[in-house]
Amino acid sequence: MSIGQKSIFLVDDDVTNLARSNDSLGKSYKLFTMNSSGRLLKMLESHVPDLILLDVEMPELDGYETIKLLKSKEETKNIPVIFLTAHRDEESELRGLSLGAIDYIAKPFSPPLLQKRIEMHLLVESQKKLLLNFNNNLQLMVDERTKTVVELKNAFLGTMAELVEWRDGSTGEHIGRTELYMEILIDALQEHDSYKEEISAWDKTLVLQSAQLHDVGKIAIKDNILQKSGKLTKDEFTEIKTHVGFGEMVIEKIKQKTTERAFLDQAKILIATHHEKWNGNGYPRGLKGKEIPLQGRLMAIADVYDALTSDRPYKKALSHEEAIEIIVNDSGEHFDPDLVDVLLSVSDKFTEVSVLVSAEYGYIEALEEK
């Protein structure tokens, strides 16, 4: 027998049938004969054949019960089984096929016919395996391609957002910090009765990724305003506020050139509403209370907290305690009071974010210098 031969298990309690089958099949296949289902099950513990020829009428455990056992186990359920039986009635054949047999051959059988039936089924099984491997490899290729595209999208978005931040004197750390602040607040809201249902309908990953673009419109603002160290004039503040509308326009232009909607829709919500205030005195539309989408109300807290605790061209950083006090004092005016309560319940986690993000960006900068 050659190494490439297929292996077949023949199970029959009739010694004559075993000998006859061995003469007709032994030259073409690695044939293992056994006279009971018990021996078959024992043999399967150490070897998985390409096909099983299984007699139906056997003492102790018949062929029907045996195939039930085979199909119930992960390691044997895919082995093709052909029934060999003296029963020629339709009911018996239907029963065997319904239990998972691929064929039903009546005894006494013609050895050449049995050989051809086996060849046919082994060819079919071989083609099925080739097709399965092809599909698996194709799916792997699709998954890898999708992963590459997603990574490219995230890298592009992150870099674009960081470029905007660098223009007003901050770094990509602002993007990283606000995204983590948002995640802390969203996780806390999942335990909050008032917001649990709404939050559960979100794709959190999508919301957090889109948060990177909340200030993308600043790319249209002049450097002398973005980087001004003193207080802005009324006209300068009016120009600063236009970054929201410009950001929305950027998102709309991108939407016209892609079928991607969910990510861009979330980005537009965050861009358009994170400067709105609970009391209606925010911009650009003067939305009030829950007219402001929850995403925007959350980003308002994350963005203001980070602005307060960071050095900017026009101010020095405040402490965590000072920033929290300012936000609490603005509860019901600038911020959603319920969300301020949620912030207070997790504010200790905010103090860890700056260290984590600074370490990450410090590591990246160190790599770039090498």
Side-chain angles (χ1 to χ4, degrees), residues 302-319:
D303 194 43
V304 169
Y305 175 86
D306 192 68
L308 291 172
T309 56
S310 304
D311 284 330
R312 295 291 172 90
Y314 53 87
K315 60 171 275 299
K316 291 293 184 181
L318 299 179
S319 69

Side-chain angles (χ1 to χ4, degrees), residues 217-218 220-222 225 235-249 271 283-284:
K218 284 183 178 179
I221 306 302
K222 297 174 184 176
I225 294 178
D235 288 343
E236 288 170 339
F237 185 60
T238 297
E239 183 172 342
I240 278 283
K241 291 193 290 185
T242 64
H243 81 276
V244 174
F246 189 83
E248 292 182 89
M249 184 181 70
I271 290 168
Y283 66 89

Side-chain angles (χ1 to χ4, degrees), residues 56-126:
V56 172
E57 296 295 329
M58 289 187 294
E60 298 179 5
L61 197 64
D62 67 19
Y64 296 133
E65 294 303 315
T66 301
I67 196 172
K68 287 179 184 178
L69 287 174
L70 297 178
K71 297 302 178 182
S72 69
K73 297 179 180 179
E74 187 66 31
E75 59 270 22
T76 58
K77 69 178 184 180
N78 293 320
I79 304 173
V81 176
I82 296 176
F83 272 132
L84 305 175
T85 179
H87 293 288
R88 296 174 179 269
D89 61 287
E90 183 178 311
E91 184 179 346
S92 297
E93 186 171 349
L94 284 172
R95 183 183 179 190
L97 295 174
S98 67
L99 290 172
I102 60 171
D103 207 346
Y104 198 92
I105 300 177
K107 299 179 185 178
F109 49 78
S110 162
L113 180 59
L114 177 63
Q115 179 95 8
K116 286 298 181 184
R117 298 278 278 271
I118 290 173
E119 286 178 9
M120 178 188 70
H121 287 299
L122 287 177
L123 177 61
V124 170
E125 291 300 318
S126 178

Side-chain angles (χ1 to χ4, degrees), residues 161-171 216-228 313:
E162 287 173 17
L163 285 171
V164 174
E165 296 304 323
W166 284 331
R167 289 191 63 239
D168 72 354
S170 58
T171 70
V216 70
K218 284 183 178 179
I219 199 167
I221 306 302
K222 297 174 184 176
D223 286 345
N224 65 314
I225 294 178
L226 277 181
Q227 299 173 11
K228 186 175 180 179

